[in-house]
């Protein structure tokens, strides 16, 4: 537990219609800190999915911002007003833009708070302006994996001692259930046959998530495994392209694009296999969700994924962008229910040991106390 109660603002300028892993992390973190007695404010784009979801929590205090650029004076003023009203002493920032806004508000409105960068991916560039921004104004960077930390350090603008690696955790009380709890719901919602084997994938439809490779793998399996169905949860700019690829391969009866669900836990519990075909993945909170639900996984050996799952114990790992290897791994799991059961049980144990929200908040509070006395 923290020795001091802090006034914290979490800043996320994500586009209005976007919800991803880092937005989920900010939700978990902010609400978890608020429940520990800290005063927490969420600042984000006015009308965004991010603020809408956050507002559903009774503990949430939100500050809508008019975001129209990195340096817009209205945005800087609104952020400064929110920080001043809540007497903020710590500001956690998602994007590079957010770090800039935090520093402009702090400097031009004469405020005094620490800036903590909490990136989910390395969006910083090897430029003098970014090096100046991060080396001069960021007091600490908190990242979910060693892979992401090492990637950012390699950029050359933050030294290793200014990093803390804290894996993202989930609220265990929300992940108590069984496959039977949601199976009928899943079958009825998507009109699936009773013997359907459901491969679940969730995340933004962007190139780095590798959805196209899963579609290619499904094409290879279509004749050999006719009872496999693929459920994609999420949205994003590549959805139309992916749907067209499914149509071109005559797989429309095998693929379901389920959209962005506010509560997808029943679906995770009810699926048979989680597949994560990412080509770039700094962490993978969806893999933690799969383990929390006891769902075996096939994933790629990239980024932070090997830090989250245990190869050949909770997941089969393959090289990225290899549809043939992906198809083989899916088929192996489809045909081996004992392996699936063993992976699912091991995943739940790993979740309880390593990825509980309480543990994450404990470590985060210790970091916040530390940065305040630096």
């Amino acid at each position: 537990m923290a020795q001091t109660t802090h006034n914290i603002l979490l800043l996320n300028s994500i586009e209005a219609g976007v919800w991803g892993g880092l937005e989920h992390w900010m939700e978990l973190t902010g609400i978890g800190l608020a429940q520990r007695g800290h005063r927490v404010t969420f600042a984000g784009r006015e009308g965004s999915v991010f603020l809408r979801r956050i507002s559903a929590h009774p503990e949430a205090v939100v500050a809508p911002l008019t975001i129209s650029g990195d340096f817009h004076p209205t945005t800087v003023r609104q952020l400064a007003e929110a920080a001043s009203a809540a007497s903020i002493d710590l500001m956690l920032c998602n994007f590079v833009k957010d770090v800039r806004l935090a520093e402009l508000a702090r400097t031009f409105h004469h405020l005094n708070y620490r800036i903590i960068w909490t990136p989910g991916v390395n969006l910083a560039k090897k430029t003098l302006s970014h090096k100046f921004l991060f080396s001069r104004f960021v007091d600490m960077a908190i990242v979910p994996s060693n892979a992401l930390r090492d990637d950012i350090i390699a950029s050359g603008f933050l030294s290793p001692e200014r990093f803390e690696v804290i894996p993202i955790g989930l609220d265990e009380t929300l992940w108590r259930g069984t496959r039977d709890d949601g199976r009928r719901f899943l079958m009825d919602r998507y009109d699936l046959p009773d013997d359907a084997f459901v491969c679940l994938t969730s995340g933004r439809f962007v190139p780095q998530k590798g959805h196209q490779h899963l579609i290619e793998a499904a094409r290879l399996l279509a004749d050999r495994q006719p009872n496999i169905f693929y459920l994609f949860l999420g949205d994003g700019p590549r959805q139309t392209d992916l749907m067209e690829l499914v149509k071109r391969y005559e797989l429309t009866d095998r693929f379901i694009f389920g959209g962005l669900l506010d509560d997808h836990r029943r679906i995770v519990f009810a699926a048979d296999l989680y597949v994560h075909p990412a080509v770039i993945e700094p962490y993978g909170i969806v893999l933690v969700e799969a383990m929390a639900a006891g769902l075996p996984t096939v994933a790629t050996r990239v980024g932070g994924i090997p830090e989250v799952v245990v190869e050949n114990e909770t997941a089969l790992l393959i090289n990225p962008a290899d549809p043939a290897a992906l198809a083989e791994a899916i088929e192996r799991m489809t045909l081996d229910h004992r392996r699936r059961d063993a992976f699912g049980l091991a995943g739940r144990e790993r979740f309880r040991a390593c990825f509980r929200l309480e543990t994450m908040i404990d470590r985060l509070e210790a970091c916040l106390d530390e940065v305040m006395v630096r």
Side-chain angles (χ1 to χ4, degrees):
M1 297 290 289
Q3 299 299 311
T4 306
T5 299
H6 299 293
N7 297 330
I8 304 163
L9 187 145
L10 289 88
L11 174 60
N12 188 323
S13 61
I14 192 73
E15 295 172 4
V18 176
W19 176 268
L22 191 56
E23 288 67 54
H24 191 191
W25 177 85
M26 282 199 152
E27 176 188 33
L28 292 167
T29 298
I31 299 303
L33 289 169
Q35 291 172 346
R36 293 278 182 96
H38 301 278
R39 185 180 181 186
V40 178
T41 301
F42 295 87
R45 194 179 297 267
E46 187 174 14
S48 64
V49 173
F50 173 65
L51 287 190
R52 176 178 65 80
R53 287 200 170 198
I54 296 299
S55 297
H57 296 276
E59 306 92 340
V61 176
V62 300
L65 305 177
T66 304
I67 298 176
S68 56
D70 290 16
F71 307 100
H72 198 284
T74 299
T75 309
V76 174
R77 176 181 55 78
Q78 290 175 336
L79 180 60
E81 289 173 351
S84 179
S87 301
I88 293 301
D89 48 43
L90 290 156
M91 190 174 294
L92 278 60
C93 303
N94 181 349
F95 296 106
V96 175
K97 172 195 293 187
D98 300 336
V99 174
R100 279 196 289 262
L101 289 171
E103 176 50 31
L104 289 170
R106 180 169 67 175
T107 298
F108 289 105
H109 292 266
H110 310 291
L111 300 174
N112 183 25
Y113 50 75
R114 303 288 198 275
I115 294 177
I116 299 177
W117 186 33
T118 59
V121 295
N122 183 11
L123 296 177
K125 301 175 182 177
K126 294 182 180 180
T127 62
L128 288 177
S129 62
H130 279 196
K131 184 173 183 179
F132 177 79
L133 177 71
F134 287 98
S135 63
R136 181 78 178 271
F137 301 124
V138 171
D139 297 286
M140 176 184 285
I142 297 176
V143 295
S145 70
N146 292 298
L148 180 55
R149 178 201 60 191
D150 294 344
D151 185 31
I152 296 173
I153 289 173
S155 300
F157 45 70
L158 269 182
S159 56
E161 63 270 14
R162 294 169 71 181
F163 280 86
E164 292 290 341
V165 177
I166 303 178
I168 299 173
L170 300 176
D171 185 347
E172 186 177 7
T173 64
L174 299 179
W175 289 91
R176 291 174 180 166
T178 66
R179 185 172 184 271
D180 292 340
D181 292 340
R183 188 67 178 183
R184 189 71 265 157
F185 169 79
L186 174 65
M187 297 293 107
D188 292 344
R189 182 184 180 99
Y190 298 112
D191 194 24
L192 295 171
D194 289 340
D195 64 346
F197 186 94
V198 180
C199 290
L200 173 65
T201 300
S202 57
R204 292 271 293 155
F205 295 135
V206 290
Q208 57 264 36
K209 295 301 182 182
H211 293 90
Q212 69 275 17
H213 303 303
L214 179 51
I215 296 172
E216 296 280 357
R219 183 189 187 191
L220 298 175
L221 289 171
D223 293 333
R224 302 202 304 268
Q225 299 295 335
N227 69 324
I228 299 181
F229 292 81
Y230 304 87
L231 174 56
F232 284 0
L233 296 183
D235 60 8
R238 292 210 64 202
Q239 180 167 338
T240 299
D241 293 340
L242 295 172
M243 295 177 76
E244 289 178 354
L245 185 61
V246 167
K247 184 178 180 180
R248 187 188 317 154
Y249 289 159
E250 299 181 349
L251 295 171
T252 52
D253 60 332
R254 302 290 189 87
F255 276 83
I256 301 163
F257 288 81
L260 188 64
L261 304 181
D262 283 343
D263 183 3
H264 63 289
R265 286 187 292 272
R266 278 197 294 179
I267 301 294
V268 181
F269 275 107
D272 296 285
L273 182 68
Y274 192 87
V275 183
H276 195 55
V279 294
I280 299 174
E281 184 56 85
Y283 184 70
I285 191 172
V286 292
L287 299 172
V288 180
E289 292 181 342
M291 290 191 294
L295 188 60
T297 299
V298 170
T300 46
R301 197 181 289 105
V302 296
I305 290 177
E307 299 177 44
V308 177
V309 302
V310 179
E311 187 169 5
N312 295 322
E313 185 175 317
T314 70
L316 291 182
L317 296 185
I318 61 164
N319 291 328
D322 188 341
L326 183 57
E328 180 184 356
I330 292 171
E331 188 167 39
R332 285 174 61 192
M333 295 297 283
T334 303
L335 298 174
D336 191 345
H337 72 87
R338 288 189 177 87
R339 183 191 291 263
R340 294 199 308 273
D341 290 346
F343 278 22
L345 289 172
R348 275 198 166 178
E349 289 304 312
R350 179 163 174 77
F351 163 71
R352 291 173 181 139
C354 304
F355 300 107
R356 293 168 61 246
L357 180 63
E358 183 178 359
T359 302
M360 182 186 81
I361 298 298
D362 285 345
R363 294 185 60 185
L364 182 59
E365 284 185 311
C367 287
L368 300 184
D369 286 345
E370 177 187 342
V371 77
M372 287 302 297
V373 298
R374 284 186 177 181

